[in-house]
Amino acid sequence: SIAYIIPQNVQVAELQITDGSGKLVKRISITHRGEGLIDLTTHELQGGTYFYTLILDGKVSMTKQMIALKQ
């Protein structure tokens, strides 16, 4: 799960998932304002390092790293 907080005055919010080389893997539109969670299922991803970036009104708000494990 990825936790987020979107201010009420933000018009457009999205979460972008990129792989280690910077290739966009998934884009998730966020319509809810305030605190929320996005459940990302790793069956959609290969094992490896990914980054998720919260973009608010076209500007990067934050980027964090995650690791998807395959068994």
Side-chain angles (χ1 to χ4, degrees):
S1 293
I2 299 172
Y4 64 83
I5 299 174
I6 308 295
Q8 295 297 325
N9 63 335
V10 169
Q11 298 296 313
V12 179
E14 70 177 20
L15 189 73
Q16 293 183 356
I17 311 295
T18 56
D19 64 15
S21 68
K23 179 182 173 190
L24 182 64
V25 175
K26 186 172 181 102
R27 181 175 297 177
I28 303 167
S29 179
I30 303 171
T31 57
H32 174 76
R33 299 299 179 257
E35 294 183 34
L37 284 175
I38 293 177
D39 290 324
L40 184 65
T41 55
T42 57
H43 77 272
E44 304 171 39
L45 305 173
Q46 299 291 322
T49 301
Y50 294 86
F51 297 91
Y52 58 94
T53 302
L54 181 63
I55 300 181
L56 305 177
D57 289 335
K59 297 179 183 170
V60 172
S61 175
M62 67 93 184
T63 299
K64 292 191 178 182
Q65 182 180 23
M66 67 179 177
I67 297 175
L69 300 175
K70 291 292 183 178
Q71 294 185 11

